[in-house]
PDB file of all heavy atoms in Angstrom:
ATOM      1  N   HIS A 495      -5.391  -5.987 -15.171  1.00  0.00           N
ATOM      2  CA  HIS A 495      -6.157  -5.936 -16.418  1.00  0.00           C
ATOM      3  C   HIS A 495      -5.291  -6.227 -17.635  1.00  0.00           C
ATOM      4  O   HIS A 495      -5.629  -5.852 -18.754  1.00  0.00           O
ATOM      5  CB  HIS A 495      -6.914  -4.609 -16.525  1.00  0.00           C
ATOM      6  CG  HIS A 495      -7.887  -4.446 -15.402  1.00  0.00           C
ATOM      7  ND1 HIS A 495      -9.009  -5.243 -15.289  1.00  0.00           N
ATOM      8  CD2 HIS A 495      -7.856  -3.671 -14.289  1.00  0.00           C
ATOM      9  CE1 HIS A 495      -9.642  -4.932 -14.168  1.00  0.00           C
ATOM     10  NE2 HIS A 495      -8.956  -3.988 -13.534  1.00  0.00           N
ATOM     11  N   CYS A 505     -14.150  -9.880 -17.132  1.00  0.00           N
ATOM     12  CA  CYS A 505     -13.517  -9.220 -15.984  1.00  0.00           C
ATOM     13  C   CYS A 505     -14.384  -8.049 -15.513  1.00  0.00           C
ATOM     14  O   CYS A 505     -15.282  -7.613 -16.224  1.00  0.00           O
ATOM     15  CB  CYS A 505     -12.146  -8.726 -16.448  1.00  0.00           C
ATOM     16  SG  CYS A 505     -11.222  -7.795 -15.233  1.00  0.00           S
ATOM     17  N   CYS A 507     -13.656  -5.120 -15.566  1.00  0.00           N
ATOM     18  CA  CYS A 507     -13.451  -3.988 -16.472  1.00  0.00           C
ATOM     19  C   CYS A 507     -14.248  -4.150 -17.762  1.00  0.00           C
ATOM     20  O   CYS A 507     -14.308  -3.244 -18.581  1.00  0.00           O
ATOM     21  CB  CYS A 507     -11.970  -3.809 -16.801  1.00  0.00           C
ATOM     22  SG  CYS A 507     -11.320  -5.098 -17.888  1.00  0.00           S
ATOM     23  N   CYS A 512      -8.735 -11.078 -18.327  1.00  0.00           N
ATOM     24  CA  CYS A 512      -7.696 -10.309 -17.621  1.00  0.00           C
ATOM     25  C   CYS A 512      -7.136 -11.193 -16.486  1.00  0.00           C
ATOM     26  O   CYS A 512      -7.820 -12.091 -15.991  1.00  0.00           O
ATOM     27  CB  CYS A 512      -8.291  -9.066 -16.976  1.00  0.00           C
ATOM     28  SG  CYS A 512      -8.933  -7.866 -18.124  1.00  0.00           S
TER      29      CYS A 512
HETATM   30 ZN1   ZN B 207      -9.987  -6.439 -16.585  1.00  0.00          ZN
END
Side-chain angles (χ1 to χ4, degrees):
H495 299 292
C505 176
C507 72
C512 295

